[in-house]
Amino acid sequence: MSRRAKTICAILALPYLYVAYLWWEILSSERGLLTGDVIFYTLALLVLTPVVMVIAGGTAFVSARRNTKASLAQHDYAGAAKSGGCAYYGLRALISGGLLLAGMVWWVLDTPEPGRDRLGRICEESRNGSSVRCRPDPERKKSALDQANEKRQQDWWR
């Protein structure tokens, strides 16, 4: 990887190192004080992890691919193998980060069918609109045989 790519990846890792330090400080001290800031930083970085994976993986992949081509042109096969391995892991991070990001976007932007909640229940408003009642959908209800099979499997695992 080039110096610029290593710098970009190091800058992306700094917030994670800071939060790891905060958690280490909390867990290792006798009076560890867990504040709302630490929880917020942790959750924010957890949500941003796929974005960081895409950026770091893309940077590593592009840089390593460029270095692999340059090493092969100079007949430096050891350098090409090293860069090729970095490109492989960069591509894996890029793909997995992209899939995680797509899953998170789908989960956030998913909208239920009109007249239903996210659990698939049928929801109806009262006449004056002051309350909403949700009831199970009779068409989506499991048959008695399916319910008995589920109960038998649950009892078997206990």
Side-chain angles (χ1 to χ4, degrees), residues 29 60-62 77 89 95 98-99 102 118 124 139 141 143 154:
S29 67
F61 176 70
V62 170
Y77 300 114
Y89 287 114
I95 291 171
L99 290 174
R118 291 195 179 271
E124 300 162 340
E139 294 176 4
K141 189 174 182 181
S143 67
Q154 288 174 355

Side-chain angles (χ1 to χ4, degrees), residues 67-83:
N67 288 344
T68 303
K69 284 184 179 181
S71 295
L72 286 175
Q74 297 173 358
H75 300 289
D76 178 20
Y77 300 114
K82 181 180 172 185
S83 296

Side-chain angles (χ1 to χ4, degrees), residues 6-20 45 52 56:
K6 289 178 184 176
T7 305
I8 290 171
C9 291
I11 288 172
L12 289 173
L14 284 177
Y16 291 92
L17 293 174
Y18 176 68
V19 168
L45 289 179
V52 171

Side-chain angles (χ1 to χ4, degrees), residues 46-99:
L46 186 66
V47 170
L48 290 177
T49 298
V51 175
V52 171
M53 286 177 68
V54 166
I55 294 171
T59 302
F61 176 70
V62 170
S63 175
R65 190 169 154 253
R66 187 180 306 132
N67 288 344
T68 303
K69 284 184 179 181
S71 295
L72 286 175
Q74 297 173 358
H75 300 289
D76 178 20
Y77 300 114
K82 181 180 172 185
S83 296
C86 186
Y88 172 73
Y89 287 114
L91 183 63
R92 288 182 70 167
L94 179 68
I95 291 171
S96 60
L99 290 174

Side-chain angles (χ1 to χ4, degrees), residues 17-135:
L17 293 174
Y18 176 68
V19 168
Y21 169 73
L22 289 177
W23 277 103
W24 177 76
E25 189 177 283
I26 289 169
L27 296 175
S28 66
S29 67
E30 291 179 12
R31 279 188 321 133
L33 182 63
L34 182 62
T35 62
D37 292 343
V38 175
I39 295 171
F40 175 73
Y41 296 155
T42 304
L43 291 177
L45 289 179
L46 186 66
V47 170
L48 290 177
T49 298
V51 175
V52 171
M53 286 177 68
V54 166
I55 294 171
T59 302
F61 176 70
V62 170
S63 175
R65 190 169 154 253
R66 187 180 306 132
N67 288 344
T68 303
K69 284 184 179 181
S71 295
L72 286 175
Q74 297 173 358
H75 300 289
D76 178 20
Y77 300 114
K82 181 180 172 185
S83 296
C86 186
Y88 172 73
Y89 287 114
L91 183 63
R92 288 182 70 167
L94 179 68
I95 291 171
S96 60
L99 290 174
L100 279 171
L101 190 61
M104 287 175 64
V105 166
W106 178 81
W107 182 65
V108 168
L109 298 180
D110 183 38
T111 55
E113 300 172 24
R116 296 185 181 267
D117 64 355
R118 291 195 179 271
L119 299 176
R121 299 178 298 187
I122 299 172
C123 295
E124 300 162 340
E125 286 189 31
S126 62
R127 292 184 185 181
N128 59 3
S130 62
S131 65
V132 176
R133 291 190 61 194
C134 296
R135 58 182 172 84

